[in-house]
Amino acid sequence: MPRRTAATLATSGEVLDLIRTGEAVTRADLGRVTGLSRPAVSLRVGELLERGLVVERTDAPSTGGRPPVRLEFNASGGVVLVAALGASRTRVAVCDLAGHELAGREFVIDVEQGPDVVLPLLMDTWDELLDGRCPGARVKGVGMGVPATVEFAAGRTESARVMASWTGVEIPPLVRARFPVPVFVDNDVNVLAIGEHRGVYAEETGDLMFVKISTRIGAGVIAGGEILRGALGAAGEIGHIPVRDGGGVLCRCGNVDCVDSVASGTALLRDLRAAGRDVKTIADVTALVRAGDAETMAIVREAGRRIGEVVAGAVNILNPAVVVLGGDMAEAFGPLVSSIREVVYRRSTALATRRLRIEASRLGAAAGISGCAVMVLDHVLSPDAVDEALTSRPTR
Ligand SMILES: [Zn+2]
């Protein structure tokens, strides 16, 4: 038996992590990887089985002999509640513990109506989805993405001008009053970055920047495999980096010539209206782009160059392997994406762009839901959180 001190013995939470990540699939694997004795492995696995976090499967016998019992993480052992709020569109869902959506609903709601209106609607929707699709499911946590800067540790919305009615609101206590579980809130672009990274690029790279180009412009940065939030949660706010020769446009943040004020969906609509076009939504602009309207194309290309300028600066600082362009404008506007690419490759340093890929988002809006789920699951299924839950609560 290997000699290990108590401090280095793998805990049940760490054992769960090995099973969940597929590093160990049998009790023998666990013994080998952790150095735990057979009785110690059994004790920990027993605890995880009892809590429904792990299930046993027996493979069909192959060449005779007793088949090994495989241990699998039980993704249906609970659910997480998620909501990806957009400025106008919001998606609410219930996901399993692997982050897969079990039930969801999308609706149009103006988030500016404030937390008193929006939060009860979200919570009612979770209740309805739970009743309809997963009655009796154990809720393990809640994750939300909101279109505002969020002081992550407190789950407090900060940005005063984008979601004015939410300024200074600490969301977690309001949600916990009805769902007494851990609640995590981040800005909408960070959850998109987490979702796209985990869903598409995790095997390939730990360094990715997700740029959302929609009503507003923002970025989420994955560095070394983790979301980069900065000191308080404001990292990646590229929308408020000024561009050169912007013409002195006043931004809603109070500064002038922020890329958001000259190249976001809001800015495009304003410029096209000033040019006499009847456009109300980004979909209207999309229609003009599809029709090949020359003036619209020129305005869209110019916006792409502005965004490219700012993204090039960010690429120089962060050296991501992949820049993902998402949001409804990036999805619909070919000329926008090609202008961004052109400027980034021209203006970033040679080393930063040597292997840089600039890709369209593959998951689209679905990245928001899976990113919210991953944000919660990484916390509530972390070894520390699992160990705490195992010791602090009595078994069922
Ligand atoms: Zn600004």
XYZ file of all heavy atoms in Angstrom, residues 189-190 192-193 196 208-214 216-221 236 238-239 259 307-308 310-312 314-315 318 320 322-331 336-337 340 344 358-361:
339
model
N -21.314 37.828 -23.152
C -20.242 37.421 -24.071
C -19.311 36.406 -23.402
O -18.808 35.493 -24.058
C -19.447 38.642 -24.572
C -18.613 38.245 -25.772
C -20.367 39.774 -24.949
N -19.075 36.555 -22.103
C -18.257 35.552 -21.421
C -18.900 34.169 -21.498
O -18.200 33.177 -21.718
C -18.039 35.939 -19.953
C -16.937 36.972 -19.777
O -16.299 37.371 -20.757
N -16.709 37.415 -18.560
N -20.879 33.076 -23.810
C -20.732 32.604 -25.196
C -19.324 32.048 -25.413
O -19.135 31.004 -26.036
C -20.976 33.756 -26.187
C -22.424 34.204 -26.379
C -22.475 35.502 -27.173
C -23.227 33.125 -27.103
N -18.322 32.767 -24.886
C -16.927 32.318 -25.043
C -16.715 30.967 -24.361
O -16.102 30.062 -24.931
C -15.976 33.365 -24.461
N -18.651 28.227 -26.490
C -18.016 27.926 -27.782
C -16.682 27.209 -27.549
O -16.349 26.245 -28.244
C -17.785 29.229 -28.560
C -17.297 29.024 -29.983
C -18.425 28.878 -31.005
O -19.570 29.232 -30.707
O -18.130 28.386 -32.115
N -8.560 31.534 -26.676
C -9.580 31.884 -27.659
C -10.202 33.224 -27.294
O -10.329 33.550 -26.118
C -10.629 30.771 -27.643
C -11.966 30.935 -28.350
C -12.445 29.554 -28.824
C -13.047 31.538 -27.473
N -10.537 33.991 -28.305
C -11.286 35.220 -28.044
C -12.583 35.156 -28.836
O -12.574 34.896 -30.037
C -10.477 36.454 -28.452
C -11.252 37.741 -28.226
S -10.227 39.220 -28.252
C -9.756 39.258 -29.953
N -13.694 35.349 -28.141
C -15.004 35.351 -28.794
C -15.459 36.794 -28.903
O -15.568 37.496 -27.898
C -16.007 34.551 -27.956
C -17.330 34.325 -28.639
C -17.640 33.080 -29.172
C -18.263 35.346 -28.760
C -18.860 32.863 -29.810
C -19.484 35.144 -29.400
C -19.777 33.900 -29.922
N -15.701 37.260 -30.119
C -16.161 38.635 -30.314
C -17.619 38.575 -30.743
O -17.959 37.944 -31.748
C -15.325 39.358 -31.394
C -15.785 40.811 -31.535
C -13.842 39.312 -31.045
N -18.463 39.205 -29.934
C -19.890 39.225 -30.267
C -20.215 40.552 -30.939
O -19.949 41.622 -30.387
C -20.741 39.070 -29.011
C -22.235 39.021 -29.315
C -23.072 38.993 -28.052
C -24.554 38.941 -28.420
N -25.409 39.099 -27.232
N -20.750 40.459 -32.139
C -21.101 41.666 -32.879
C -22.598 41.628 -33.123
O -23.102 40.825 -33.916
C -20.338 41.739 -34.223
C -18.836 41.539 -33.972
C -20.586 43.079 -34.902
C -18.089 41.090 -35.194
N -23.277 42.478 -32.385
C -24.731 42.494 -32.451
C -25.170 43.915 -32.138
O -24.500 44.849 -32.538
C -25.253 41.478 -31.428
O -26.652 41.430 -31.476
N -24.704 45.398 -29.586
C -23.486 45.969 -29.045
C -22.310 45.057 -29.372
O -22.503 43.944 -29.856
C -23.614 46.207 -27.530
C -23.921 44.959 -26.736
C -24.269 45.286 -25.295
N -23.084 45.434 -24.465
C -22.547 44.441 -23.741
N -23.060 43.236 -23.754
N -21.492 44.655 -23.000
N -21.111 45.561 -29.084
C -19.902 44.794 -29.392
C -19.176 44.482 -28.089
O -18.969 45.363 -27.256
C -18.974 45.611 -30.322
C -19.661 45.856 -31.671
C -17.630 44.887 -30.528
C -18.918 46.835 -32.564
N -18.792 43.217 -27.923
C -18.054 42.853 -26.715
C -17.234 41.613 -27.003
O -17.405 40.976 -28.045
N -16.345 41.273 -26.087
C -15.541 40.072 -26.287
C -15.412 39.305 -24.986
O -15.455 39.882 -23.903
C -14.151 40.442 -26.812
N -15.278 37.991 -25.129
C -14.994 37.118 -23.994
C -13.672 36.441 -24.296
O -13.444 36.000 -25.421
N -12.788 36.380 -23.308
C -11.451 35.862 -23.538
C -11.220 34.591 -22.724
O -11.434 34.587 -21.510
C -10.396 36.917 -23.129
C -8.991 36.358 -23.311
C -10.584 38.202 -23.919
N -12.296 42.131 -21.402
C -12.946 41.811 -22.671
C -13.945 42.846 -23.156
O -14.582 42.669 -24.181
N -14.234 45.131 -25.151
C -13.587 45.831 -26.261
C -14.492 46.852 -26.927
O -14.033 47.714 -27.652
C -13.038 44.866 -27.346
C -14.177 44.100 -28.008
C -11.993 43.929 -26.785
C -13.733 43.401 -29.281
N -15.793 46.766 -26.673
C -16.731 47.695 -27.291
C -16.432 49.148 -26.966
O -16.771 50.046 -27.725
N -15.638 51.852 -30.380
C -16.004 51.027 -31.536
C -17.494 50.678 -31.484
O -18.166 50.577 -32.510
C -15.089 49.772 -31.645
C -15.320 48.782 -30.517
C -15.276 49.099 -32.998
N -14.039 47.455 -36.405
C -14.002 46.353 -35.432
C -12.654 45.641 -35.557
O -12.017 45.297 -34.558
C -15.188 45.370 -35.659
C -16.515 46.098 -35.430
C -15.076 44.164 -34.734
C -17.745 45.343 -35.917
N -12.201 45.455 -36.803
C -10.921 44.780 -37.041
C -9.767 45.501 -36.360
O -8.857 44.868 -35.803
N -9.805 47.252 -33.604
C -9.819 46.979 -32.166
C -9.448 45.511 -31.882
O -8.693 45.217 -30.961
C -11.210 47.343 -31.583
C -11.361 46.830 -30.177
C -11.407 48.851 -31.635
N -9.981 44.599 -32.698
C -9.670 43.179 -32.503
C -8.169 42.944 -32.714
O -7.535 42.172 -31.980
C -10.515 42.288 -33.449
C -10.047 40.836 -33.415
C -11.994 42.364 -33.067
N -7.570 43.651 -33.691
C -6.125 43.501 -33.941
C -5.326 43.880 -32.692
O -4.362 43.201 -32.319
C -5.701 44.371 -35.123
N -6.383 43.729 -29.599
C -6.598 42.687 -28.593
C -5.774 41.445 -28.925
O -5.237 40.790 -28.029
C -8.086 42.343 -28.515
N -5.666 41.123 -30.216
C -4.877 39.953 -30.636
C -3.413 40.160 -30.256
O -2.735 39.238 -29.800
C -5.040 39.709 -32.160
C -3.948 38.801 -32.711
C -6.414 39.123 -32.450
N -3.228 39.475 -26.455
C -3.636 38.167 -25.926
C -3.082 36.977 -26.693
O -3.035 35.882 -26.165
C -5.166 38.085 -25.914
C -5.847 39.131 -25.032
C -7.323 39.245 -25.395
C -5.686 38.777 -23.556
N -4.392 34.983 -29.043
C -5.253 33.793 -29.058
C -4.932 32.899 -30.257
O -4.365 33.377 -31.242
C -6.657 34.382 -29.203
C -6.450 35.686 -29.908
C -5.113 36.202 -29.452
N -7.473 31.230 -31.699
C -8.679 31.364 -32.500
C -9.438 32.621 -32.071
O -9.585 32.871 -30.880
C -9.657 30.177 -32.282
C -10.803 30.228 -33.290
C -8.950 28.852 -32.357
N -9.876 33.401 -33.046
C -10.837 34.460 -32.782
C -12.154 33.981 -33.374
O -12.222 33.656 -34.565
C -10.420 35.795 -33.436
C -11.552 36.820 -33.332
C -9.154 36.346 -32.787
N -13.189 33.872 -32.533
C -14.498 33.446 -33.021
C -15.376 34.685 -33.141
O -15.473 35.477 -32.212
C -15.152 32.439 -32.048
C -16.532 32.028 -32.557
C -14.267 31.215 -31.863
N -15.978 34.855 -34.311
C -16.882 35.984 -34.526
C -18.317 35.479 -34.440
O -18.722 34.607 -35.207
C -16.623 36.622 -35.894
C -15.191 37.128 -36.134
C -15.037 37.619 -37.568
C -14.817 38.235 -35.152
N -19.049 36.004 -33.447
C -20.437 35.568 -33.256
C -21.362 36.762 -33.125
O -20.952 37.904 -33.304
N -22.602 36.482 -32.786
C -23.611 37.542 -32.718
C -24.333 37.635 -34.047
O -23.796 37.214 -35.079
N -25.542 38.176 -34.051
C -26.343 38.089 -35.278
C -25.753 38.849 -36.465
O -25.953 38.462 -37.608
C -27.827 38.447 -35.050
C -28.014 39.660 -34.178
O -27.017 40.354 -33.908
O -29.166 39.919 -33.775
N -24.977 39.917 -36.214
C -24.372 40.616 -37.349
C -23.263 39.794 -37.991
O -23.141 39.722 -39.208
C -23.813 41.964 -36.916
C -24.880 43.053 -36.871
S -24.283 44.522 -36.048
C -22.992 45.089 -37.138
N -22.429 39.177 -37.159
C -21.337 38.364 -37.702
C -21.905 37.174 -38.468
O -21.361 36.750 -39.482
C -20.431 37.887 -36.572
N -23.031 36.641 -37.962
C -23.622 35.468 -38.612
C -24.189 35.816 -39.983
O -24.137 35.008 -40.902
C -24.730 34.889 -37.725
C -24.185 34.006 -36.612
C -25.216 33.752 -35.511
O -26.417 33.702 -35.806
O -24.788 33.620 -34.344
N -18.816 42.019 -43.544
C -18.324 42.484 -42.246
C -17.180 41.584 -41.788
O -16.106 42.044 -41.396
C -19.456 42.454 -41.211
C -19.090 42.950 -39.813
C -19.250 44.455 -39.733
C -19.964 42.293 -38.754
N -17.431 40.277 -41.881
C -16.437 39.312 -41.423
C -15.164 39.411 -42.266
O -14.051 39.404 -41.735
C -17.038 37.882 -41.456
C -15.966 36.835 -41.214
C -18.148 37.768 -40.412
N -13.124 42.433 -41.211
C -12.462 42.226 -39.912
C -11.199 41.381 -40.117
O -10.114 41.722 -39.658
C -13.413 41.536 -38.903
C -14.598 42.457 -38.582
C -12.667 41.167 -37.616
C -15.682 41.813 -37.733
N -7.360 42.509 -39.254
C -6.640 41.824 -38.168
C -5.342 41.226 -38.705
O -4.275 41.385 -38.099
C -7.520 40.730 -37.527
C -6.700 39.897 -36.544
C -8.712 41.358 -36.804
N -9.390 32.879 -37.716
C -10.559 33.711 -37.447
C -11.753 32.958 -38.006
O -11.830 32.711 -39.206
C -10.425 35.105 -38.099
C -9.148 35.789 -37.581
C -11.647 35.958 -37.806
C -8.866 37.145 -38.201
N -12.647 32.540 -37.108
C -13.721 31.626 -37.507
C -15.086 32.198 -37.135
O -15.203 32.933 -36.167
C -13.578 30.292 -36.751
C -12.223 29.616 -36.874
C -12.093 28.804 -38.141
O -13.105 28.691 -38.877
O -10.995 28.301 -38.410
N -16.087 31.796 -37.895
C -17.453 32.122 -37.507
C -17.857 31.200 -36.356
O -17.374 30.069 -36.264
C -18.391 31.915 -38.691
N -18.735 31.687 -35.486
C -19.217 30.855 -34.384
C -19.921 29.624 -34.945
O -20.713 29.726 -35.871
C -20.201 31.654 -33.526
O -20.910 30.789 -32.668
